[in-house]
Amino acid sequence: MIPTAFSFLYFKRRVINGFCLLLSALAILIGLAWLIWILSSLLRHGLPGFSWHLFTQMTQAPGTEGGLLNAIVGSLMMVLVAVIIGTPVGLLIGTYLAEFGKNGRLANTVHFVNDVFISAPSILLGLFIYQLVVVTTGHFSGWAGSFALALMVVPIVTRTTEDMFLLVPIHMREAAIALAAPRWKVIVSVVLRISRTGVLTGILLATARVMGETAPLLFTALNNQFFSVNMNQPMANLPMVIFQYAMSPYDDWHKLAWAGALLITVFVLLLNITVRLLSKQKLPII
């Protein structure tokens, strides 16, 4: 009687396990099918737009041959400034949460605010910077766009830094403190050195996240059909150009929009590959 009951329970668990595995495999296949469809559409429509002119000429009027040079340069500048602004802030906040705050009331509040910023729609961050910077200065600018993107960089770097610091064994800190090293030296030379690969991974993930954001730039940097490196003026950027050209009735602009979308996809893909390669590196032994 007992072996029969155990056999029935074992058979029941095997059936449930097989059913769950089947559902998981179907979910993977459905997700991969959509991904392959999206990538194939990008390649089919975007590759014809790739040429030397795409990287050497600026956006032109419909019916004339043009490129995306001004949009590429504008996007790179704003993303670079956003990472330069957001990374130190995220590192400092993450360091405080992991090394000093622990479970204090202030740390819990910072955790809550950081989670809100991570999950907040990007358009809300754009509206916030619009009210804070654009309305105050009276004009759109590349600085405003960078500030909006920096608000998206900070919570990602903060969360990654905190998680990586917490993975460092406590005896590493105790050994450095036993040698009379000051607290800041322990954090910089021991904790940050051990977790630098994970921190760099978080920075790259934040960069990939903000590279294709359109909504924040719509209210901050807007667009510029001319080549400009003046961050105090409206600045061209790939997401806005793609949005504008995709909504237009002109075939040549559609071609450039697909090429720009493929360009952003390739850039984000390269960043993700870099992240995967960095995540496989072994942590240094102190």
Side-chain angles (χ1 to χ4, degrees), residues 63 90 93 101 152 158 175 185 260 267:
I93 298 175
M152 303 178 63
T158 298
K185 191 71 173 180
F267 181 79

Side-chain angles (χ1 to χ4, degrees), residues 1 62 81 84 160 217 281:
M1 191 70 177
V81 173
I84 292 175
T160 308
L217 301 181
Q281 294 183 2

Side-chain angles (χ1 to χ4, degrees), residues 58-59 67-76 78 223-224 226-227 236-239 241:
M58 291 172 289
T59 53
L68 299 174
L69 174 62
N70 53 334
I72 295 173
V73 173
S75 287
L76 291 177
M78 284 189 287
N223 201 358
N224 191 343
F226 304 104
F227 184 86
N237 53 88
L238 280 174
V241 170

Side-chain angles (χ1 to χ4, degrees), residues 52-60 64-70:
W52 183 249
H53 299 291
L54 183 71
F55 304 96
T56 57
Q57 294 187 9
M58 291 172 289
T59 53
Q60 301 291 341
T64 58
E65 188 174 12
L68 299 174
L69 174 62
N70 53 334

Side-chain angles (χ1 to χ4, degrees), residues 126 129-147 216-224 228 230-235:
I129 296 298
Y130 171 81
Q131 187 66 33
L132 188 67
V133 178
V134 177
V135 173
T136 303
T137 59
H139 59 85
F140 299 96
S141 65
W143 289 116
S146 297
F147 294 153
L217 301 181
L218 179 64
F219 297 97
T220 54
L222 199 59
N223 201 358
N224 191 343
S228 174
N230 185 3
M231 293 286 290
N232 202 37
Q233 296 295 328
M235 181 167 285

